[in-house]
Amino acid sequence: MSMVTHEKTADQTVEENRVAGSVGAFLFALAGGAIYFALWQVGYVAAISGLIAVVCAMKGYELFAKKESRFGIIISVVMSVLVISIAWYLCLSLDVYQAYQEWYEAGEVDSAISFGDAVRNAYLFLSDPKIARSYLLNLAFGIALCALGCISPIRAALRRTKKTANAQPEAAPTASADAAQNDTFASEDFNYDTGDRNDTDGQNNTGSPRE
């Protein structure tokens, strides 16, 4: 029981590295962005991408920061939205790239463009109100689905952090009680040793006159 308490206390006293945790959250959230990008190619925008992004981001934050916290939950959500937005822009860029390929094959443009050129210039197509409305609505819809998918894991993480925070004040009294118990055992051992020495001295004192 004491060993379990000491392990919990050690986990609670670990210093949180927010910078490393933020990096971990972003890297792990890329899994959700990859799923968003893949589903876009088959015509779907699903909440599962946001769910995976948030769950992976929270795990990445915990691994890199060495601790789970409310700040970690918030930054994980922010990183998930950022990754989904990046994935959305890459989807727009891919559409621009494929459109130029079709236009080039049809003889409508003089040359095709690379995907890198599409990434650098895709935002220019948002100046067209019709295109902007369609893509921005898809982005808003995707983030809304992500938010719905994130509710359950966020609630679970908040419950865990709240439970950890409530358990933290109980760790100090337990450690003090263990220390007091160890002192009591040490005192008893000392008394036993003193008693043994007294008995030995008594035997020596009574034995000397006989000699």
Side-chain angles (χ1 to χ4, degrees):
M1 185 67 180
S2 176
M3 184 178 297
V4 175
T5 303
H6 288 319
E7 289 178 355
K8 289 182 178 180
T9 304
D11 293 338
Q12 292 164 0
T13 55
V14 171
E15 185 176 355
E16 181 179 5
N17 190 334
R18 292 186 173 184
V19 175
S22 300
V23 174
F26 176 79
L27 293 177
F28 276 60
L30 291 175
I35 292 177
Y36 181 95
F37 184 85
L39 290 176
W40 180 284
Q41 308 312 312
V42 293
Y44 290 98
V45 179
I48 188 66
S49 57
L51 173 63
I52 293 175
V54 170
V55 171
C56 291
M58 288 191 295
K59 187 62 179 178
Y61 185 91
E62 183 180 359
L63 289 175
F64 280 66
K66 307 299 183 184
K67 190 174 184 180
E68 188 178 35
S69 66
R70 292 188 178 183
F71 175 83
I73 297 172
I74 294 172
I75 201 67
S76 296
V77 173
V78 171
M79 290 300 178
S80 299
V81 173
L82 176 61
V83 166
I84 293 300
S85 300
I86 293 174
W88 166 84
Y89 186 80
L90 290 177
C91 291
L92 171 62
S93 302
L94 182 61
D95 288 347
V96 170
Y97 170 76
Q98 293 174 342
Y100 263 90
Q101 295 296 325
E102 294 176 1
W103 294 340
Y104 177 71
E105 292 175 0
E108 299 179 8
V109 294
D110 295 334
S111 62
I113 62 173
S114 65
F115 182 71
D117 291 332
V119 171
R120 286 190 292 271
N121 300 289
Y123 70 93
L124 297 174
F125 284 80
L126 296 177
S127 60
D128 186 323
K130 185 177 180 180
I131 296 176
R133 186 182 306 109
S134 175
Y135 279 89
L136 291 177
L137 282 176
N138 281 330
L139 175 61
F141 183 65
I143 292 177
L145 287 178
C146 291
L148 290 176
C150 296
I151 292 176
S152 178
I154 289 175
R155 283 181 175 176
L158 287 173
R159 284 195 296 267
R160 288 196 300 271
T161 55
K162 185 177 180 180
K163 185 177 180 180
T164 302
N166 291 337
Q168 187 169 0
E170 299 175 358
T174 304
S176 299
D178 292 340
Q181 187 176 7
N182 292 334
D183 292 341
T184 302
F185 290 154
S187 178
E188 291 177 355
D189 292 340
F190 178 77
N191 291 333
Y192 293 153
D193 293 340
T194 303
D196 293 340
R197 285 198 297 273
N198 291 335
D199 293 341
T200 303
D201 293 341
Q203 292 174 0
N204 291 336
N205 291 334
T206 56
S208 298
R210 293 194 184 97
E211 295 176 355

